Amino acid sequence: MSSATPGTPHLRGARVRCEELGFRHPGGDSSLSLASVDLEPGSRTAVIGPSGSGKTTLLHLIAGILSPDRGTVTLDDEVISGLPEAARRRRRLAGIGLVFQEFELLEHLSVRENISLPFAIDPALGSEGRSGRVEELAGRLGLGPLLRRHPRRLSHGERQRVAIARALVVGPRLLLADEPTGNLDPRTGAVVLDQLFAEAERAGTTVLVVTHDHSLLARFEQVIDLESPEPGGGS
Ligand SMILES: Nc1ncnc2c1ncn2[C@@H]1O[C@H](COP(=O)(O)OP(=O)(O)O)[C@@H](O)[C@H]1O
Ligand SMILES: [Mg+2]
């Protein structure tokens, strides 16, 4: 049994350092090169850049879903980019919340089951307090009455909030969100971002958000602007 109760506010977000990352997707025709990226504990950073500039790839490198060809990703004091895949996955499940660009909700599961998924995937996260945590979080995100519904019967904004709730349910020290307000009208987008920030602030979570919406950039302390990829990858 894990001694940490999921969702307990830790009041200190993760520190992330990316140094001279380089990555080319197998079979891809361009490579991503990044100067160093630093995320202070509890800070809010936006990632912008044209389509194909590597925003999603950067998030997946930080999350340890991908491993860089060059350079390092350091989470707090640990270089995670060189760890075996299983170890990166364990760190991701325990400490990193991810909102995928396409949400990746499981259509055959209810909203409640989708939000609870991290606990089902990793029993080591424990079960103490999780039921209350799911309900509390769903309530604050306006999903309370929808817990028994299936994703196909939700609006786009509701699906987005379910994805955000699932990313936050374990009380991650780092939240990575890939265009969490994409395809929402500006007003709904601002509300969803407000909710995401409010939840992150409760626990001191470090936040990195990919966005196309430049009207939201004033809400972030740091903006990382990725440029178009180098054709052919330069090598
Ligand atoms: N699975 C993949 N296989 C091959 N190339 C990929 C794959 N995913 C992304 N790419 C390429 O990597 C580059 C960066 O993609 P991505 O990180 O998705 O950009 P963004 O999120 O900024 O639109 C693009 O040139 C894209 O075509
Ligand atoms: Mg993308």
Side-chain angles (χ1 to χ4, degrees):
M1 178 63 74
S2 160
S3 60
T5 303
T8 302
H10 37 72
L11 298 175
R12 201 183 83 82
R15 176 188 302 281
V16 180
R17 272 188 79 84
C18 301
E19 289 175 285
E20 304 298 336
L21 288 185
F23 182 79
R24 183 205 286 255
H25 286 279
D29 56 5
S30 61
S31 70
L32 170 76
S33 295
L34 279 170
S36 298
V37 170
D38 260 311
L39 308 180
E40 292 294 318
S43 64
R44 309 203 285 222
T45 302
V47 181
I48 58 171
S51 185
S53 59
K55 303 181 296 296
T56 295
T57 304
L58 173 62
L59 253 61
H60 290 187
L61 286 167
I62 294 175
I65 294 171
L66 298 173
S67 195
D69 300 330
R70 305 186 265 109
T72 53
V73 177
T74 307
L75 191 61
D76 294 318
D77 297 319
E78 185 179 34
V79 177
I80 55 162
S81 45
L83 296 174
E85 190 175 347
R88 283 187 269 128
R89 186 165 182 275
R90 270 199 302 279
R91 279 159 190 69
R92 181 163 70 250
L93 280 169
I96 302 177
L98 260 160
V99 181
F100 291 94
Q101 193 161 3
E102 309 296 340
F103 311 152
E104 314 287 353
L105 301 183
L106 298 185
E107 300 295 331
H108 61 288
L109 299 182
S110 67
V111 166
R112 181 195 297 277
E113 289 164 334
N114 267 282
I115 297 175
S116 307
L117 207 58
F119 299 116
I121 293 173
D122 186 358
L125 292 172
S127 56
E128 286 165 57
R130 82 174 164 185
S131 164
R133 169 77 182 158
V134 170
E135 254 137 52
E136 209 184 287
L137 188 58
R140 287 201 301 270
L141 289 168
L143 297 168
L146 305 177
L147 282 170
R148 296 169 66 148
R149 269 204 207 169
H150 281 71
R152 65 177 172 279
R153 294 190 48 228
L154 299 178
S155 73
H156 200 80
E158 287 164 350
R159 293 172 72 90
Q160 232 135 359
R161 288 199 294 263
V162 174
I164 290 170
R166 184 180 58 191
L168 288 166
V169 77
V170 299
R173 302 188 63 223
L174 173 64
L175 178 69
L176 304 170
D178 203 348
E179 311 209 23
T181 64
N183 303 318
L184 294 181
D185 64 85
R187 201 189 165 121
T188 311
V191 169
V192 168
L193 193 69
D194 272 337
Q195 290 174 322
L196 186 153
F197 281 164
E199 291 301 326
E201 247 163 49
R202 294 172 75 90
T205 304
T206 306
V207 174
L208 186 67
V209 175
V210 174
T211 181
H212 272 121
D213 187 348
H214 287 226
S215 72
L216 298 174
L217 294 183
R219 316 272 314 274
F220 294 86
E221 289 143 29
Q222 175 177 222
V223 177
I224 297 171
D225 191 354
L226 297 186
E227 291 174 5
S228 297
E230 307 158 38
S235 61

